[in-house]
Amino acid sequence: MTQHNRAIFQPTGQIQFGIFFQGVNSGTIWKASESGSQTDFESFRRIVQTAERGKFAAFFLGEGLRLREHLGRPHALDVAGRPDAQTMLAALAAVTRNIGLVATQNTTYNDPADLAHRLSSLDLISGGRAAWNVVTTDNAWTGANFRRGGYLDHADRYKHAEAFVETAKRIWDSWETSSGPARPVLHEGQHYTVDVTPRLARSAQYRPVLFQAGDSPDGRDFAARQADVIFSAHPKFDDAVEFRRDIVARSVAAGRGANAVQIMPASEFILAATDQEAQEKKAWVRSLQIGPQQAIAYLEQFWGRELTEYDPDGPLPEIDPAVEETSETRGSGFHGAKARQLADQWRAEAKDKGLSIRQFVTSRTARVDATFTGSYTAIADHLSEYARVGAVDGFNISPWLIPTGLDDIVNHLVPELQERGVYPTDYRGTTLRENLGIETPVRSTESVPA
Amino acid sequence: MSTFEERKAGFLAIELDGAGYQNLAAAVLAAESAGFHAATFADAPAPGRVNALQRAAFVGPVTRNIALVPEVDTVYTEPFHISTQLASLDYVSGGRAGWIVTAVDSSEAAAAVGRSHVSGEALAQEAAASVEVGRRLWDSWEDDAVIRDVATGRYLDVDKLHYVDFETPADFAGPAYSVKGPSIIPRPLQGQLPVLAAASLVGEGLVPVDSVDAVLVSAPTPELLVAEVRDVRARLGAAVAVVAELDVVLDSRGQPAVSRFASSAESGSTAEAGRARFVGSSAGLADVLDSLLKEADGVRLHPAVLDVELEELSRLVLPELRQRGSLRAPLQDGTFRDLLGLERPASRYANTTIAAIGSEN
Ligand SMILES: Cc1cc2nc3c(=O)[nH]c(=O)nc-3n(C[C@H](O)[C@H](O)[C@H](O)COP(=O)(O)O)c2cc1C
């Protein structure tokens, strides 16, 4: 057997899909007549079973622990309101067999022993299909919903997250054998102490698979040390290749193999039989995602004031933002942008390109970069190129329609990818770890205090 | 057209903890088809015990009529998370979820989350606060908050979303906290999930009686149970449903209950100190339940060995009780509130129409 150099990345030549069922966003269109409920269990059942028919590796649920706001009130325009991730995934475990069940869970507003226990519960109930997407939201605004309040400095969030994940791993490692007995886990840290004797044995996949979402240098280093898979924000080809290079370097520096961390970027697919049709479909989807009110509201987030008197089909407002920073923007991820500077920049750009408010906002929304538009064959060819060079390990798809948003992908794109030999024709096993091809962790004895 | 007899007929709940997690679906289906009205899921820390709320969620999609009622601790958990999780359970079970409020008295549970040990009266204060947060959050989206109004581009009517602004009371024993709200999930299907708690946790200076829908009543022996049910009803009033707690060990497969009890006690079953235990034949149990159901609104059974007792209960005991008219027919596609005879309440925040009724015309 040839000994691969663990410092050199080896493409697998394969890609896999996950689905990111987003409960809160402007990307999921609700205005179309085909659009169903965001909260009914049947929506979740339908979409997870479609994904499983398409041999998707994983079903993701996001998390947001405070309702997003706009100008000081809950945001009225976008889809909002979602079930608790682990509760929903436990229910979906009963109606699926192979697909991985990924819960986005925050390290700031959970307790490590409690979260580790609940994730183990999901892992056992699902027969070894659970995963944790580690996120690190830290704002006091979200903290207002919790006992501790907003207690964590921004600069500390990854230190805290790392101690949290380490503790969870020690809890999952603490079993002498897969059935027992467990040794106590102690952690005394800056933010909390944990003293627990774990109660649940290892699952069929040893412990939940770890995903990470977060893009800063600290976030990437944290992922390189701790995660099995990164839920990245870099789906475009060149960007994806560069991100892979960066993660490989960080994983090797962290003492893990070049292939140790998989990458699945967030993405959106707008597909049809021909490229022409797909482009038309995209225009239709965008018109429903960014309606006139969404376009104005988007600018209002940065301007920090009402702009309802402006014409969505006219130029960007001449009036200046009412705020220094876009701190009013609760929960949208734009904290701290310099409002005036941004406004000047945007006005210039829109004028340059001759864009109306609505056209400008459509061109700016995050998903534009994450969208694959084209015919089934063209996109299958394009994705095969990702597989060939190993730009990514897969894509985490946010459907723009619930619950039928995966139908065309599963019915048309997946078979094309299978024909090209770059997509699994069946599940490799029953656990998520097996299906992703991730090695079983080696129990670290040093991590368990005697 | 319900006769007096039918109205008096009670319901039966079964504790499913003994099913573990591997045979959960089979166990709950067996309980549902036997005619049990509710399944409960214990959650106190114990080796091998998987999170109760997740076990309840798992069986949601595979069942249709049986109510699913997990225990959820109020002391070392986050009220905001609990509220969302329970509302989510209501969604995945089609409105069949409930909540058994517990207040864990354990220094190990405290150490696990790095908090100091809460005990005594402070336990009830923690429970009362968590229930209040949970209930306010369930109401924080009015029923028709999701409007999907294409003309105005509004998915939500924000006038129907409410900050709950909960603050622990001034005399709160533990560390004070506040919860802002609104919830991150729309109002549960039932509006408010039925909330159950041990009778010992409910009353003046404890968890207020009007914040629970049913109480669980224990007594040391089956004989004392009827008297205790009466006492609790007298103490708490008629508005709250009363559920009697009973351990059962039955003669089975040619083995007398007494000898089965001796061995199950050794193997450490679900038995809890202070809870009445019936040990004997199915016919004897039917008599006991018949008289209990005349006093209590329901009885929760804790089988010594789930598979074994469930078989006897479903084959002999429940049919006998139905025959005698002391057991209600299972509810078809109903909610847990329906089972308890509770109306679906309006949100406390729902705008009362400010109408000038006939004053100035
Ligand atoms: C693709 C992707 C998905 C994310 N999903 C969530 C989510 O569901 N909930 C959440 O609280 N944060 C989510 N985040 C936010 C991250 O956890 C993190 O807080 C944020 O990216 C800031 O960290 P950073 O500075 O390292 O990027 C997501 C981030 C990315 C890149």
Side-chain angles (χ1 to χ4, degrees):
Chain A
M1 209 174 94
T2 43
Q3 187 65 46
H4 284 304
N5 185 339
R6 284 173 49 83
I8 296 175
F9 174 72
Q10 307 279 336
T12 61
Q14 292 284 305
I15 56 166
Q16 65 221 350
F17 286 154
I19 157 182
F20 187 40
F21 187 120
Q22 282 184 300
V24 172
N25 62 97
S26 60
T28 311
I29 59 179
W30 54 265
K31 295 175 193 168
S33 53
E34 304 92 307
S35 136
S37 165
Q38 301 294 323
T39 42
D40 276 3
F41 182 71
E42 286 312 313
S43 290
F44 291 84
R45 183 207 297 265
R46 163 92 200 255
I47 206 149
V48 76
Q49 289 180 339
T50 305
E52 197 162 72
R53 182 162 61 81
K55 314 298 176 198
F56 276 45
F59 178 90
F60 280 68
L61 289 174
E63 185 193 58
L65 297 171
R66 182 149 173 199
L67 217 53
R68 288 189 304 170
E69 286 182 2
H70 182 63
L71 302 179
R73 304 189 72 190
H75 189 34
L77 299 179
D78 296 346
V79 160
R82 54 182 156 198
D84 170 69
Q86 291 205 60
T87 309
M88 178 54 73
L89 294 175
L92 294 178
V95 297
T96 53
R97 291 184 66 86
N98 295 95
I99 196 165
L101 303 166
V102 192
T104 300
Q105 302 274 277
N106 208 287
T107 51
T108 310
Y109 306 107
N110 279 297
D111 289 302
D114 174 58
L115 186 65
H117 182 76
R118 284 189 287 126
L119 286 162
S120 284
S121 295
L122 181 63
D123 207 16
L124 290 168
I125 278 181
S126 64
R129 294 189 280 140
W132 172 20
N133 180 34
V134 183
V135 295
T136 55
T137 313
D138 61 355
N139 54 68
W141 176 74
T142 299
N145 281 333
F146 295 94
R147 286 178 191 256
R148 281 201 186 101
Y151 74 104
L152 191 60
D153 281 348
H154 185 75
D156 279 349
R157 70 202 161 130
Y158 279 115
K159 270 186 244 160
H160 177 84
E162 191 131 4
F164 192 118
V165 170
E166 281 288 341
T167 304
K169 283 184 172 175
R170 284 170 50 203
I171 287 172
W172 294 324
D173 261 354
S174 76
W175 289 72
E176 208 60 70
T177 67
S178 67
S179 57
R183 287 201 259 175
V185 172
L186 306 168
H187 167 84
E188 257 177 74
Q190 194 185 342
H191 301 291
Y192 49 67
T193 60
V194 176
D195 176 355
V196 66
T197 301
R199 305 194 299 275
L200 293 178
R202 288 175 202 142
S203 79
Q205 63 168 355
Y206 190 97
R207 69 176 179 221
V209 171
L210 287 190
F211 286 71
Q212 181 268 0
D215 203 30
S216 61
D218 283 352
R220 293 183 188 195
D221 277 333
F222 165 64
R225 285 191 293 269
Q226 299 290 353
D228 299 304
V229 186
I230 296 177
F231 181 10
S232 81
H234 304 279
K236 288 281 176 250
F237 189 81
D238 293 345
D239 201 14
V241 169
E242 183 45 42
F243 186 76
R244 166 73 79 188
R245 201 168 285 140
D246 184 56
I247 294 303
V248 165
R250 288 177 200 266
S251 316
V252 172
R256 298 173 76 196
N259 279 63
V261 184
Q262 299 193 357
I263 300 170
M264 288 180 83
S267 59
E268 178 194 53
F269 286 80
I270 301 179
L271 309 173
T274 67
D275 284 330
Q276 170 71 24
E277 277 175 75
Q279 290 302 336
E280 284 162 15
K281 196 162 160 185
K282 179 169 165 179
W284 173 75
V285 170
R286 291 284 180 259
S287 74
L288 290 173
Q289 287 171 329
I290 309 296
Q293 298 92 349
Q294 272 85 8
I296 296 292
Y298 184 84
L299 293 190
E300 285 176 342
Q301 292 182 342
F302 295 90
W303 262 252
R305 67 199 302 165
E306 275 199 40
L307 299 170
T308 41
E309 70 271 30
Y310 288 88
D311 177 5
D313 295 316
L316 265 60
E318 281 307 326
I319 189 173
D320 272 327
V323 291
E324 287 295 308
E325 294 195 348
T326 61
S327 54
E328 298 299 301
T329 312
R330 303 299 204 180
S332 68
F334 297 118
H335 294 251
K338 294 276 174 279
R340 240 155 247 252
Q341 210 177 312
L342 206 73
D344 286 341
Q345 208 181 305
W346 284 4
R347 277 192 287 253
E349 191 187 327
K351 201 167 168 193
D352 239 31
K353 297 182 181 165
L355 300 178
S356 68
I357 289 177
R358 196 166 166 187
Q359 289 165 329
F360 178 77
V361 171
T362 303
S363 78
R364 286 224 66 93
T365 32
R367 282 185 161 215
V368 173
D369 293 335
T371 303
F372 294 86
T373 314
S375 69
Y376 303 117
T377 52
I379 296 300
D381 287 341
H382 188 41
L383 299 190
S384 300
E385 195 55 19
Y386 281 79
R388 193 182 64 77
V389 305
V392 300
D393 295 281
F395 294 91
N396 205 3
I397 302 170
S398 296
W400 43 264
L401 197 61
I402 296 294
T404 55
L406 290 185
D407 293 5
D408 59 348
I409 294 170
V410 167
N411 294 340
H412 302 292
L413 180 62
V414 163
E416 296 254 6
L417 292 168
Q418 287 168 331
E419 260 170 47
R420 287 163 178 74
V422 298
Y423 188 91
T425 51
D426 205 350
Y427 288 102
R428 275 188 267 191
T430 57
T431 70
L432 178 58
R433 204 174 287 281
E434 282 173 296
N435 288 324
L436 292 173
I438 297 171
E439 283 173 27
T440 303
V442 178
R443 179 170 180 267
S444 126
T445 40
E446 67 171 6
S447 73
V448 183
Chain B
M1 202 203 67
S2 68
T3 64
F4 175 72
E5 285 310 311
E6 273 166 335
R7 273 191 293 110
K8 280 305 287 176
F11 65 86
L12 280 182
I14 185 165
E15 171 54 50
L16 280 191
D17 194 47
Y21 60 88
Q22 274 117 338
N23 300 312
L24 201 48
V28 76
L29 284 170
E32 186 174 67
S33 64
F36 280 97
H37 301 83
T40 67
F41 302 84
D43 204 46
R49 183 177 277 158
V50 161
N51 178 273
L53 200 140
Q54 285 170 272
R55 279 183 285 143
F58 179 81
V59 300
V62 302
T63 51
R64 186 145 179 195
N65 299 321
I66 196 164
L68 303 170
V69 196
E71 282 182 0
V72 183
D73 171 49
T74 48
V75 181
Y76 302 110
T77 45
E78 283 288 352
F80 190 86
H81 286 320
I82 296 175
S83 166
T84 315
Q85 288 163 9
L86 286 162
S88 305
L89 179 64
D90 207 39
Y91 278 92
V92 305
S93 64
R96 289 179 286 126
W99 174 15
I100 297 178
V101 169
T102 58
V104 173
D105 182 359
S106 143
S107 54
E108 289 91 73
V113 298
R115 299 223 344 240
S116 25
H117 180 200
V118 178
S119 59
E121 276 175 28
L123 288 170
Q125 285 190 13
E126 293 278 357
S130 289
V131 172
E132 179 63 17
V133 173
R135 285 193 178 279
R136 287 196 202 183
L137 287 168
W138 293 335
D139 277 348
S140 68
W141 292 52
E142 292 180 36
D143 287 319
D144 45 1
V146 175
I147 50 171
R148 300 167 81 111
D149 186 40
V150 176
T152 61
R154 289 180 310 148
Y155 183 82
L156 301 175
D157 177 352
V158 293
D159 291 336
K160 293 179 187 291
L161 293 175
H162 304 275
Y163 295 104
V164 304
D165 285 322
F166 172 85
E167 283 183 31
T168 44
D171 60 349
F172 198 63
Y177 67 89
S178 61
V179 175
K180 183 76 190 168
S183 179
I184 49 168
I185 178 172
R187 199 157 187 251
L189 300 179
Q190 296 181 91
Q192 290 277 325
L193 275 65
V195 174
L196 289 69
S200 56
L201 201 59
V202 178
E204 216 183 296
L206 304 166
V207 177
V209 67
D210 57 6
S211 67
V212 300
D213 300 293
V215 290
L216 301 163
V217 175
S218 294
T221 68
E223 294 72 33
L224 293 171
L225 200 47
V226 169
E228 186 62 21
V229 164
R230 282 186 195 152
D231 282 357
V232 166
R233 220 192 264 290
R235 178 166 72 86
L236 298 179
V240 61
V242 172
V243 182
E245 299 264 51
L246 188 65
D247 284 351
V248 289
V249 194
L250 294 174
D251 300 340
S252 170
R253 301 171 192 177
Q255 245 199 309
V258 226
S259 58
R260 289 193 52 234
F261 170 60
S263 53
S264 83
E266 277 155 32
S267 69
S269 70
T270 62
E272 194 177 282
R275 192 161 64 208
R277 175 179 299 115
F278 174 87
V279 183
S281 70
S282 296
L285 178 62
D287 288 340
V288 170
L289 289 176
D290 190 45
S291 49
L292 265 178
L293 287 167
K294 287 195 169 65
E295 298 293 335
D297 299 274
V299 177
R300 172 162 77 146
L301 300 179
H302 300 258
V305 180
L306 183 71
D307 286 350
V308 179
E309 265 69 28
L310 188 49
E311 191 181 301
E312 299 302 317
L313 289 162
S314 98
R315 212 162 50 85
L316 298 168
V317 182
L318 273 71
E320 172 62 23
L321 291 171
R322 272 193 293 269
Q323 188 100 48
R324 297 193 199 179
S326 51
L327 193 63
R328 241 184 269 177
L331 210 60
Q332 298 300 321
D333 296 325
T335 66
F336 188 26
R337 293 188 76 84
D338 292 337
L339 177 70
L340 295 172
L342 300 168
E343 301 280 307
R344 189 178 188 286
S347 160
R348 76 193 61 195
Y349 302 105
N351 289 328
T352 42
T353 319
I354 306 162
I357 304 164
S359 57
E360 53 217 85
N361 51 334

